[in-house]
Amino acid sequence: MPDTPASPLATYIAFLERGELGYQFSPSANAAVFYPRVIAPRTGADDLEWRVSKGLGTVYATTVVHQQKGDPTTSR
């Protein structure tokens, strides 16, 4: 299947590997869409297009998640 498009997640990861923050934009909703999808969430339209962030936003918070050691099915 040489003409099969990449999944939205694969496209997003490809942007990250190039050092770019790619996101989808829905012209029908006139809004950015994140997380990567096949269909726009508000309109159900398949008009999503990829754009690259200009990097002018502000980061207000971050979260770091550490993997738990040991068996996750047992209590501490």
Side-chain angles (χ1 to χ4, degrees), residues 3 9 16-19 22 25-26 31 33 36-38 42 45 48 55 58-59 62 67 70 73:
D3 293 336
L9 179 59
L16 294 177
E17 288 173 345
R18 291 193 303 266
F25 182 82
S26 171
V33 175
R37 308 164 191 241
V38 177
R42 292 186 205 145
L48 295 173
T58 302
V59 176
T62 62
Q67 185 173 3
T73 60

Side-chain angles (χ1 to χ4, degrees), residues 1 6-7 14 18 20 22-24 33 41 43 58 64:
M1 293 185 210
S7 73
R18 291 193 303 266
E20 300 174 320
Y23 65 95
Q24 292 174 301
V33 175
T43 63
T58 302
V64 177

Side-chain angles (χ1 to χ4, degrees), residues 21 23 53-61:
L21 178 57
Y23 65 95
S53 174
K54 294 177 183 173
L56 302 175
T58 302
V59 176
Y60 289 98

Side-chain angles (χ1 to χ4, degrees), residues 1-2 8 11 15 17-18 23-24 29 34 37 48 50-51 65 68-69 71 73:
M1 293 185 210
T11 302
F15 276 109
E17 288 173 345
R18 291 193 303 266
Y23 65 95
Q24 292 174 301
F34 191 84
R37 308 164 191 241
L48 295 173
W50 284 97
R51 296 187 178 182
V65 178
Q68 179 180 350
K69 294 180 182 178
D71 185 359
T73 60

